[in-house]
DNA sequence: ATTATTTTTTGATATACATCAAATCACTTT
DNA sequence: AAAGTGATTTGATGTATATCAAAAAATAAT
């Protein structure tokens, strides 16, 4: 059974019924095909998305034109470029679908209106940021700082056992901050 | 002129006078000597601190017993182990003063009470987390992912021009995720 | 099925940085 | 000032991973 937006929202921090209804009205339900860009550099990130089903990658393009993945969101996760979204300033990264996706989205201005209008929604948003965003980035930071390439790959595999079927080796290598040659050697057990 | 707690709070998101007064009453004003530990691993991080004056380091101790710095807060920054604080679970890292410090602190439970009590304080806390916490970690993540040792050092110097007088080479090297020998060679221009 | 295109693997070499050991420098303390 | 202690620098060597080039395998297009 696919998860619903309402279930996602209520699992973060339960809202009173009439607040929930107001919130749900401000979301749009969207479907996009594989390779579609949710965000391109230079544009402010206008939305906060919730993934119902699918997969996306976040990436930067460096001076040499090489794409470097910084994050994946697979199924039921929140998607946004937080820095660009919270300051409504031009994004530096891209967000691209790597599978056909089903998403729910709320606009920045609608979010601000709801935060001002409902105290309970502000408490909900605090939980969202604390639980989903901060934990994710801090985990990733600790990984980069303490683990070597092989350990980072094994952790990713534990977290997403089916990732090799959904995301190409090159994309995973880029995320792990190693070359695809090195990842290939790790898979072959040569490292 | 030293900054006051009230100025720090109001610069994040202005609060109505009577909310501000309630908030200020829940803070304690503290002074601790150099080397004092604000947090040790295994204990939940009970406080959110605001630095008035001084410097602290955050560090992990790895399996080989080596201390690895993950962060510095110098003057007027917020201090907390966010993961431990927001979930009130045992911390994995230490926070130690590297200068005599003047701090203001609020307890987790007091913060929760104020968040429930004042809608405007919840909006204030959202700004705090968005501006101070998320931006900081994302910057650091990007640094680790895209910059080499020398570039990270130069960026740190730009951000804190006086850091070499306040923090030892070993502590800085640990933060940059390189050995102190490598940092010494970078300083000498040999890299 | 055959060809074209993309993805993954393999090999040889190069580089950034770590590690280990020792020397030098800079403070304290007597 | 001398001795002691911790911080920093230097040198020699080792290792993980990058880079470049090419082969093999998998996937898509004709």
């Amino acid at each position: 059974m696919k998860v619903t937006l309402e279930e996602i929202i209520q699992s973060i921090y339960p809202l009173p019924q009439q607040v929930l209804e107001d919130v749900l009205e401000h979301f749009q339900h969207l479907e996009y095909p594989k390779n579609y860009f949710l965000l391109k550099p230079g544009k402010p990130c206008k939305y906060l998305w919730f993934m119902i089903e699918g997969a996306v990658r976040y990436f930067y393009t460096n001076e040499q034109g090489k794409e470097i993945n910084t994050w994946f969101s697979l199924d039921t996760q929140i998607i946004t470029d937080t820095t660009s979204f919270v300051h409504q300033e031009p994004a530096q990264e891209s967000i691209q679908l790597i599978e056909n996706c089903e998403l729910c989205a709320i606009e920045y201005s609608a979010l601000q209106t709801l935060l001002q209008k409902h105290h309970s929604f502000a408490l909900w948003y605090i939980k969202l940021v604390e639980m989903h965003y901060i934990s994710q980035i801090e985990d990733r930071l600790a990984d980069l700082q303490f683990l070597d390439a092989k350990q980072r790959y094994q952790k990713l595999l534990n977290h997403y056992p089916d990732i090799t079927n959904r995301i190409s080796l090159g994309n995973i290598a880029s995320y792990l901050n190693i070359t695809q040659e090195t990842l290939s050697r790790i898979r072959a057990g040569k490292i």
Side-chain angles (χ1 to χ4, degrees), chain A:
Chain A
M1 260 308 272
K2 228 182 291 177
V3 74
T4 66
L5 177 61
E6 184 174 335
E7 284 164 354
I8 295 176
I9 290 175
Q10 295 295 61
S11 75
I12 292 166
Y13 181 87
L15 296 172
Q17 189 59 34
Q18 112 270 15
V19 175
L20 176 66
E21 278 164 23
D22 192 16
V23 169
L24 286 171
E25 271 172 27
H26 287 83
F27 272 89
Q28 325 167 214
H29 195 272
L30 304 161
E31 294 190 28
Y32 295 115
K34 181 173 172 169
N35 294 326
Y36 181 84
F37 280 84
L38 291 180
L39 179 66
K40 288 187 179 180
K43 312 264 181 194
C45 183
K46 228 177 128 186
Y47 294 94
L48 179 71
W49 295 273
F50 287 79
M51 174 84 82
I52 302 298
E53 192 167 39
V56 306
R57 68 175 180 129
Y58 296 55
F59 68 94
Y60 282 74
T61 306
N62 71 8
E63 313 79 51
Q64 294 92 52
K66 193 176 143 198
E67 294 177 357
I68 301 176
N69 292 332
T70 56
W71 195 255
F72 299 114
S73 285
L74 308 195
D75 310 326
T76 63
Q77 288 201 324
I78 64 163
I79 300 165
T80 198
D81 175 342
T82 314
T83 300
S84 170
F85 184 73
V86 305
H87 299 110
Q88 283 296 292
E89 66 187 28
Q92 298 190 275
E93 62 184 353
S94 304
I95 304 179
Q96 185 185 25
L97 308 196
I98 49 182
E99 292 178 357
N100 297 332
C101 285
E102 202 184 325
L103 301 159
C104 293
I106 185 168
E107 258 195 61
Y108 178 79
S109 57
L111 183 80
Q112 297 311 312
T113 306
L114 290 168
L115 287 174
Q116 295 288 338
K117 195 165 158 196
H118 303 292
H119 187 177
S120 62
F121 185 71
L123 298 174
W124 175 90
Y125 184 66
I126 288 170
K127 282 288 166 230
L128 176 81
V129 172
E130 286 181 347
M131 288 171 54
H132 289 256
Y133 223 84
I134 293 179
S135 302
Q136 275 182 13
I137 323 180
E138 291 221 323
D139 275 5
R140 179 137 170 64
L141 195 55
D143 285 2
L144 267 182
Q145 195 149 45
F146 302 121
L147 306 182
D148 64 20
K150 190 177 180 182
Q151 291 171 316
R152 289 202 305 276
Y153 180 58
Q154 279 163 347
K155 198 170 162 185
L156 188 70
L157 276 184
N158 286 342
H159 201 68
Y160 297 118
D162 63 340
I163 203 166
T164 49
N165 305 321
R166 297 178 69 177
I167 301 178
S168 73
L169 177 127
N171 268 329
I172 296 173
S174 166
Y175 170 74
L176 292 171
N177 213 13
I178 58 179
T179 60
Q180 58 181 155
E181 292 93 330
T182 299
L183 179 53
S184 176
R185 286 183 245 262
I186 288 171
R187 275 192 184 170
K190 295 179 179 167
I191 290 182

